[in-house]
Amino acid sequence: MSQAYPHLLAPLDLGFTTLKNRVLMGSMHTNLEEHAGGFSRLAAFYAERARGGVGLIVTGGIAPNEEGGVFMGSAKMTTAEEAQQHREITDAVHAEDGKICMQILHAGRYAYNQNLVAPSAIQAPINPFTPKELNGEEVEAQIDDYVRCATLAREAGYDGVEIMGSEGYFINQFIVSRTNKRTDEWGGSFENRIRLPIEIVRRVREAVGPDFIIIYRLSMLDLVEDGSTFEEVITLGKAIEEAGATIINTGIGWHEARVPTIATSVPRAAFTEITAKVKQHLTVPVVTSNRINMPAVGEEVLASGHADMVSMARPFLADAEFVNKAAQNRADEINTCIGCNQACLDHTFELKLTSCLVNPRACHETELNYQPAAARKTIAVVGAGPAGLAAATVAAERGHKVTLFEADGKIGGQFNIAKQIPGKAEFEETLRYFKRRLEITGVTVKLNTRASAADLEAFDEVVIATGIEPRTPPIPGIENEKVLSYLDVLKHKKPVGKRVAIIGAGGIGFDTAEYLTHEGDNSQELIASSKQEFFDEWGVDIQLENRAGLKKAAPVATPRQVTLLQRKASKVGAGLGKTTGWIHRTSLKHRDVQMIAGASYEKIDDQGLHIRVGDEQHLLEVDNIVICAGQEPARELYEALQAGSVKVHLIGGADEAAELDAKRAIDQGSRLAAEI
Ligand SMILES: Cc1cc2nc3c(=O)[nH]c(=O)nc-3n(C[C@H](O)[C@H](O)[C@H](O)COP(=O)(O)OP(=O)(O)OC[C@H]3O[C@@H](n4cnc5c(N)ncnc54)[C@H](O)[C@@H]3O)c2cc1C
Ligand SMILES: Cc1cc2nc3c(=O)[nH]c(=O)nc-3n(C[C@H](O)[C@H](O)[C@H](O)COP(=O)(O)O)c2cc1C
Ligand code: SF4
């Protein structure tokens, strides 16, 4: 069989060691690092990825000292005892013939802990705490802590370390004048500001010897004012190489930057051309990162010479077997990361365990396993949305005889609607994955079949995953012909006028506004923005002429005037994802969407929508009013089955109709089927 991805799967010789391919599993802090029993779970998590064929794993960030932890009590490596805990991880990865580096991450002024330190006492816009300015001796002590941490990592069995110099953390804060106002040898001139990372790498190399991997994560595009120029990035990269780095990984955007860098609306492989420009000036292998989520994407990046390796972080939450599947020409079986951040980065920042919306086993490898069923049962699953698809495929994988009923002509449920929203085209990948899983696991799929209670009586067990019905709010005039439901717009493609009011600013209201304010033919199945459109809209200068890669954002043309309303007086969109809500709000602002909170809906008539905000009455003269006012569980069938004798389970939206909750739907479907 010909090699499917020759560049991606080619080994990489580092001189003293060889990586089996060009795929690096990017660093992800999972919060297991601080969890009771977390190290055993991390060992299982990483071992599964090593078994899955990845060339090199980088752990989530571990602090070199207490003050450098992202949160109070964040995992650190400062003593032999702390290092010893990591043995379980390194042994497990090596037992699977894998290689693993530990990331050393010092948060500096981003630390959510009261002892935070930084080059200068300047508060970060995303942190309520102001850091203490380090004196010269204390800077030296911080370097010593990096060296101690790297040495301990070596003793713990790691193959190397990654020194985190990107995303606006401690090292990055020294490099740029935005956060470094010092006048001693660690500040002032650019040469002084880059002294810290160079000294860290130099002294770490001295301490660990030549046969230990040192990756340095270089901030190649700060995307904040007063960040580095491209020339400065290159000067630093060369100096880091000289100081002893084995590999340079490239990072994009400080956490306080107002440009999305990893969300689903970021085009695939958006930033690899910039890595290519960095690579031209360096001799060590260079890694590129962000939104590379399928083997073909990684292959193209490497074949075009943009980088020597690709980093994929979240794709390894979504599928531990990514590399093996690519190598065996089974890329169509890959469970693709859709960039939603809902179960990974959102969880990290909510201090919950990281997992994955499309793969609930991620970081749960020791407790959620799909073992062969003790006895083979006949199982009916009703509804082929995400909940039903997860339940049907897991039950069939375990050996049950599964029939999946779907009223529609295709599988996917609401994901068929979600994938049409600009920036959500990736949702199609989940449907492709499940379609293939249904084939592989041998589920009998009955499309265009609305199951009734009578159809289900003969099964051993029935899983009801019938989803939701949109809620219709009791507003006088709701029957006016101006009124449409979001399904009328997104599914049935009814014509929509130029002036629109959307009632309900939850996730679906936001998505509907996004859909209606995009140019082009909305009847297309997929609407994905091009890289250039994305960079223009968000003000990213990929010509790298401007400092930090920022440029003036271009105005966005929009075909409609949209007003988005909610009853609650709180910030519009407050319920959206922790790490993505700001992106959705900003995107709609780019499209001049008016947002009104605290609205009560008085009536709808031929003039438009009459609302009251506080004491004031307003008439919104609009052509259409689109209702996005929540959902009700569709439980008719479940209730009908209650009278019979068959064992029935209820999952997904049909169990609890929370908007935008595929995470719960897939998790619930998978967990039920793991036990059934
Ligand atoms: C525009 C939009 C954007 C979204 N974006 C996101 C997002 O970014 N993140 C997120 O987590 N979620 C998102 N969602 C929500 C997500 O799609 C739902 O949470 C998820 O689909 C719920 O899954 P489910 O399987 O419970 O139900 P559904 O997806 O509603 O599927 C239920 C299925 O059951 C079928 N059915 C019903 N009755 C019968 C019957 N009697 N016989 C046979 N079949 C039947 C229906 O035809 C349907 O296919 C979005 C939804 C929309 C509409
Ligand atoms: C849950 C989560 C935790 C992360 N933690 C870290 C971290 O500790 N250190 C780091 O350098 N990057 C971290 N990142 C960023 C990733 O390394 C990577 O740059 C980003 O996810 C984009 O790559 P991807 O599209 O391949 O996921 C994290 C990302 C996620 C989703
Ligand atoms: S939760 Fe979403 S973004 Fe995170 S790994 Fe899974 S699919 Fe990717």
Side-chain angles (χ1 to χ4, degrees):
M1 198 190 329
S2 69
Q3 175 64 269
Y5 305 102
H7 295 86
L8 196 67
L9 301 175
L12 180 64
D13 184 0
L14 298 176
F16 56 91
T17 188
T18 300
L19 305 180
K20 58 177 124 168
N21 55 54
R22 307 297 179 108
V23 182
L24 178 143
M25 173 176 163
S27 170
M28 284 178 291
H29 195 88
T30 62
N31 290 346
L32 277 171
E33 295 80 356
E34 292 82 18
H35 196 77
F39 279 89
S40 301
R41 289 177 63 171
L42 278 171
F45 168 69
Y46 288 127
E48 209 166 285
R49 273 81 197 154
R51 197 157 54 244
V54 64
L56 179 62
I57 296 171
V58 178
T59 69
I62 301 288
N65 52 31
E66 185 150 355
E67 59 271 29
V70 176
F71 297 106
M72 209 68 183
S74 276
K76 57 187 172 44
M77 190 178 277
T78 60
T79 63
E81 293 74 49
E82 282 166 350
Q84 188 53 34
Q85 293 183 294
H86 290 249
R87 262 282 163 203
E88 208 176 338
I89 295 176
T90 55
D91 285 347
V93 168
H94 293 151
E96 298 294 349
D97 194 28
K99 287 194 164 48
I100 184 162
C101 293
M102 187 187 88
Q103 186 182 68
I104 308 177
L105 186 154
H106 186 314
R109 73 173 192 157
Y110 278 169
Y112 264 65
N113 77 55
Q114 313 261 1
N115 308 322
L116 67 173
V117 297
S120 302
I122 306 169
Q123 188 187 342
I126 54 171
N127 194 341
F129 306 116
T130 303
K132 176 180 122 39
E133 176 173 325
L134 293 164
N135 65 32
E137 249 173 57
E138 289 166 338
V139 174
E140 286 288 344
Q142 297 291 322
I143 302 176
D144 291 344
D145 290 348
Y146 273 87
V147 174
R148 178 184 59 196
C149 187
T151 312
L152 287 169
R154 180 170 192 146
E155 282 164 21
Y158 283 105
D159 300 284
V161 287
E162 177 170 83
I163 295 169
M164 179 49 164
S166 176
E167 264 84 339
Y169 288 112
F170 183 67
I171 290 178
N172 228 177
Q173 292 158 24
F174 268 83
I175 295 168
V176 303
S177 64
R178 174 185 179 83
T179 39
N180 183 345
K181 307 288 182 199
R182 302 177 72 92
T183 52
D184 61 3
E185 73 266 40
W186 305 105
S189 65
F190 175 65
E191 195 187 1
N192 279 355
R193 283 185 271 122
I194 60 172
R195 191 184 305 281
L196 181 92
I198 297 168
E199 279 305 297
I200 290 174
V201 175
R202 194 180 63 75
R203 295 190 211 175
V204 166
R205 174 54 80 204
E206 229 169 64
V208 296
D211 57 347
F212 190 65
I213 300 171
I214 299 178
I215 309 171
Y216 179 85
R217 198 157 196 195
L218 176 73
S219 184
M220 68 172 180
L221 202 62
D222 289 333
L223 298 175
V224 288
E225 272 176 34
D226 296 328
S228 297
T229 63
F230 187 64
E231 290 70 34
E232 289 172 345
V233 171
I234 298 305
T235 305
L236 174 60
K238 285 181 173 170
I240 292 291
E241 186 172 273
E242 182 109 332
T246 324
I247 295 174
I248 290 192
N249 190 358
T250 46
I252 305 119
W254 287 36
H255 283 304
E256 68 206 64
R258 292 296 88 182
V259 177
T261 54
I262 75 169
T264 188
S265 53
V266 176
R268 287 178 174 187
F271 301 99
T272 63
E273 278 94 351
I274 302 176
T275 305
K277 291 183 184 162
V278 174
K279 181 176 142 56
Q280 281 169 14
H281 300 273
L282 301 177
T283 52
V284 296
V286 175
V287 186
T288 194
S289 169
N290 289 37
R291 291 283 291 121
I292 298 163
N293 63 348
M294 283 299 275
V297 182
E299 176 66 19
E300 197 186 322
V301 166
L302 295 180
S304 321
H306 290 183
D308 301 290
M309 277 188 99
V310 291
S311 166
M312 297 183 222
R314 295 168 299 168
F316 282 98
L317 292 175
D319 198 328
E321 275 200 275
F322 187 102
V323 174
N324 283 348
K325 287 179 181 174
Q328 294 159 9
N329 279 308
R330 296 192 291 133
D332 60 343
E333 292 178 33
I334 289 175
N335 197 359
T336 305
C337 164
I338 58 173
C340 66
N341 282 357
Q342 286 176 238
C344 55
L345 209 56
D346 282 352
H347 278 207
T348 309
F349 284 97
E350 288 160 3
L351 294 183
K352 295 183 192 157
L353 293 185
T354 292
S355 189
C356 175
L357 180 140
V358 299
N359 174 23
R361 285 196 65 249
C363 295
H364 294 268
E365 288 76 8
T366 53
E367 49 96 12
L368 179 58
N369 279 301
Y370 308 142
Q371 306 291 358
R376 189 169 202 239
K377 297 178 194 165
T378 59
I379 294 175
V381 178
V382 186
L389 288 167
T393 51
V394 171
E397 176 184 334
R398 296 187 52 234
H400 294 304
K401 185 171 167 21
V402 179
T403 307
L404 175 62
F405 294 90
E406 171 52 55
D408 207 342
K410 53 183 181 285
I411 65 157
Q414 293 175 68
F415 262 34
N416 288 308
I417 306 171
K419 74 180 189 187
Q420 302 168 57
I421 305 300
K424 287 196 176 175
E426 290 286 0
F427 283 56
E428 170 63 20
E429 293 288 4
T430 304
L431 300 184
R432 183 263 309 143
Y433 165 76
F434 273 123
K435 197 162 178 236
R436 190 73 188 103
R437 286 298 297 156
L438 291 171
E439 285 166 10
I440 292 168
T441 56
V443 173
T444 304
V445 183
K446 298 196 173 222
L447 296 177
N448 299 308
T449 310
R450 180 168 289 277
S452 67
D455 296 326
L456 304 170
E457 276 163 6
F459 288 87
D460 294 330
E461 298 194 29
V462 174
V463 179
I464 298 294
T466 44
I468 53 89
E469 294 293 343
R471 200 174 76 82
T472 308
I475 303 170
I478 192 85
E479 65 293 334
N480 190 290
E481 61 182 16
K482 282 178 185 285
V483 177
L484 300 169
S485 77
Y486 68 84
L487 289 182
D488 290 331
V489 177
L490 301 174
K491 188 173 179 185
H492 307 303
K493 308 281 158 49
K494 292 204 176 156
V496 182
K498 293 277 179 204
R499 299 165 307 163
V500 183
I502 296 177
I503 290 185
I508 291 182
F510 265 80
D511 275 359
T512 305
E514 192 75 52
Y515 180 87
L516 289 172
T517 52
H518 270 253
E519 284 288 5
D521 174 7
N522 281 346
S523 66
Q524 279 176 297
E525 281 279 291
L526 297 176
I527 309 169
S529 69
S530 75
K531 285 191 194 181
Q532 198 52 53
E533 268 172 53
F534 172 83
F535 291 135
D536 289 345
E537 175 175 347
W538 291 93
V540 181
D541 164 35
I542 67 152
Q543 302 312 319
L544 306 173
E545 283 158 4
N546 300 329
R547 186 170 278 282
L550 289 177
K551 70 173 183 186
K552 197 170 179 304
V556 179
T558 169
R560 290 189 184 82
Q561 190 191 327
V562 171
T563 308
L564 181 60
L565 303 112
Q566 72 177 27
R567 275 191 312 190
K568 284 191 199 144
S570 54
K571 182 167 77 173
V572 175
L576 301 174
K578 198 166 172 75
T579 65
T580 51
W582 68 271
I583 301 173
H584 296 300
R585 276 190 296 275
T586 313
S587 172
L588 292 192
K589 277 187 198 141
H590 290 165
R591 291 169 173 76
D592 282 332
V593 172
Q594 301 302 308
M595 300 188 198
I596 301 179
S600 50
Y601 311 111
E602 308 257 286
K603 66 172 176 179
I604 296 165
D605 60 21
D606 291 342
Q607 287 182 291
L609 174 63
H610 299 256
I611 59 168
R612 177 185 290 277
V613 183
D615 293 335
E616 289 182 19
Q617 279 189 314
H618 302 271
L619 165 64
L620 302 181
E621 291 180 70
V622 289
D623 306 310
N624 289 108
I625 295 127
V626 182
I627 307 294
C628 302
Q631 303 171 328
E632 310 278 0
R635 282 203 199 132
E636 219 173 278
L637 184 57
Y638 177 73
E639 277 150 19
L641 285 164
Q642 293 300 302
S645 56
V646 66
K647 189 167 177 189
V648 194
H649 309 269
L650 183 65
I651 58 169
D655 176 40
E656 191 181 317
E659 267 187 34
L660 269 47
D661 206 4
K663 177 178 78 175
R664 187 173 163 280
I666 293 177
D667 186 74
Q668 206 185 11
S670 305
R671 284 178 187 276
L672 170 72
E675 299 289 325
I676 213 166

